[in-house]
Amino acid sequence: MKKLIFLLAMTYGVLNAQTNLPYQLPPQEILELVDIEPRPGIRMDSQNNHMIFLGRKAFKTLDELAEDEVRLAGLRINPRTNGKSRNTFYYSIEIKRLSDNRYIAVEGLPESMRIGDISFSPDESKLAFTNTLADGIELWMIDLTGGQATKLCNNLNAASGWPYTWVPDSKSLLVKQIPQHRAPYVADKIMPEGPSIQETTGERTPARTFQDLLRNPADETAYDYYTTAEIVNVTTQGHQQLFLPEANYQSLNFAPGGEYLLVQTIQRPYSYTVPQYRFPISHDIYTASGKLLQNFYSRPLVETLPQ
């Protein structure tokens, strides 16, 4: 009995010590050795006029590692930002003009940034990028001539695919935004009306194993919620106008002349055995003003593609 009491006392002491133990930092010398600032990421325009330096960090913060994550159809989504949950961000930006080797002073940037999805305008006079906040994603632009940064819009939908596309005239962008009328998502569990059933054809086909697939109609509903977007035309002055209605947009690509636009959207039926890039995809051709011309190609669901 004495041994049992002693053992319980030791166990209580260990558990109490573990419960009250906060995160510990190593000595400053080791911290400086390990947490060294990596070399910056670099972007250059095609004419070698500007060099963009993007500051990085060696490690993610605890807040970033603790962010929520929803896994649907092969996607990993942060439900608070409606963007990808495994993104690698840049935390500062500097611009160097190569003609005279001088840095351009960038004004108007927010104090804290998580930069991603960087691209030059077609005429390479501007630079666009996304800034991920704790509860959403913004679109920003920098005028490379004067160095002025401007926020163009917010509420971007970056769950799947590139969240914006430059219009060839470099005066506006087509942006994937969260639908204005979208209500907060309610993740309460609902009893299914019946079992989840999958049918086979009776033929032997190669089948790979994928992660984070859809499992039931509730997952389909959540997938539609996070991936559905509307396309908005946003000018470089920040004026917004609806361009295309709600859909699950994967890509927007202008023709070289800029008069036509190829739009790819994911369609039903969805699959519980393959991720979203094998779902049916509709390839539609629009005019530059957003008028549908024709369906160019409709790719069906691909579930039995051999290796």
Side-chain angles (χ1 to χ4, degrees):
M1 180 61 70
K2 292 182 179 180
K3 292 182 178 180
L4 179 59
I5 294 175
F6 179 71
L7 179 59
L8 290 174
M10 289 183 59
T11 304
Y12 174 78
V14 171
L15 291 176
N16 187 52
Q18 290 177 345
T19 302
N20 296 329
L21 182 65
Y23 286 109
Q24 302 293 308
L25 290 176
Q28 186 63 28
E29 295 82 2
I30 297 179
L31 189 61
E32 293 176 355
L33 179 64
V34 174
D35 195 18
I36 188 171
E37 184 176 350
R39 293 181 179 178
I42 295 177
R43 299 285 191 276
M44 295 182 64
D45 60 37
S46 63
Q47 301 299 321
N48 293 334
N49 292 324
H50 298 93
M51 179 179 290
I52 313 299
F53 295 92
L54 301 163
R56 299 185 290 182
K57 293 182 180 179
F59 305 102
K60 287 183 174 293
T61 65
L62 292 177
D63 289 337
E64 290 175 330
L65 293 174
E67 289 178 337
D68 294 334
E69 183 178 67
V70 177
R71 302 184 179 189
L72 299 164
L75 302 176
R76 297 185 177 183
I77 303 168
N78 183 330
R80 294 194 62 190
T81 65
N82 215 114
K84 298 178 181 66
S85 63
R86 301 296 178 95
N87 261 359
T88 298
F89 296 110
Y90 300 102
Y91 299 89
S92 64
I93 185 167
E94 293 182 316
I95 301 174
K96 186 176 184 180
R97 189 169 53 229
L98 298 180
S99 59
D100 55 6
N101 287 328
R102 289 190 175 184
Y103 284 92
I104 299 175
V106 182
E107 299 180 354
L109 290 171
E111 294 183 1
S112 61
M113 296 185 294
R114 292 196 293 174
I115 300 171
D117 304 313
I118 305 159
S119 70
F120 290 95
S121 61
D123 64 2
E124 299 186 332
S125 65
K126 307 174 187 68
L127 184 75
F129 63 90
T130 59
N131 180 37
T132 300
L133 307 176
D135 57 354
I137 302 176
E138 305 170 332
L139 179 63
W140 284 73
M141 182 196 71
I142 298 177
D143 183 358
L144 297 177
T145 303
Q148 181 64 42
T150 307
K151 188 180 86 167
L152 298 180
C153 62
N154 51 18
N155 294 329
L156 269 66
N157 188 330
S160 176
W162 198 262
Y164 67 89
T165 299
W166 279 100
V167 176
D169 61 7
S170 299
K171 296 180 180 179
S172 61
L173 307 93
L174 299 183
V175 184
K176 292 169 58 178
Q177 285 190 337
I178 296 171
Q180 291 186 0
H181 67 273
R182 193 181 80 171
Y185 182 70
V186 179
D188 293 340
K189 293 185 177 180
I190 303 174
M191 290 297 295
E193 298 179 358
S196 177
I197 300 175
Q198 300 183 41
E199 297 182 358
T200 62
T201 61
E203 299 178 0
R204 291 185 177 181
T205 55
R208 296 178 59 185
T209 301
F210 298 97
Q211 292 181 322
D212 312 326
L213 300 179
L214 300 179
R215 298 166 297 174
N216 49 51
D219 281 356
E220 295 184 40
T221 301
Y223 172 75
D224 283 336
Y225 179 86
Y226 289 114
T227 58
T228 298
E230 57 188 18
I231 305 301
V232 179
N233 184 288
V234 182
T235 68
T236 53
Q237 285 75 38
H239 303 299
Q240 303 182 33
Q241 183 177 1
L242 182 65
F243 187 81
L244 291 176
E246 297 178 16
N248 185 347
Y249 294 98
Q250 286 303 289
S251 66
L252 302 147
N253 297 288
F254 278 95
E259 65 272 26
Y260 300 112
L261 176 67
L262 179 63
V263 178
Q264 297 183 10
T265 56
I266 286 185
Q267 307 291 324
R268 286 179 177 268
Y270 302 149
S271 172
Y272 295 175
T273 60
V274 294
Q276 73 151 12
Y277 63 81
R278 290 194 178 182
F279 290 176
I281 296 181
S282 178
H283 301 71
D284 300 306
I285 298 177
Y286 288 78
T287 64
S289 60
K291 179 182 178 181
L292 176 64
L293 291 181
Q294 68 176 38
N295 173 256
F296 177 70
Y297 172 63
S298 293
R299 193 199 71 185
L301 176 66
V302 181
E303 288 186 318
T304 59
L305 184 69
Q307 295 183 1

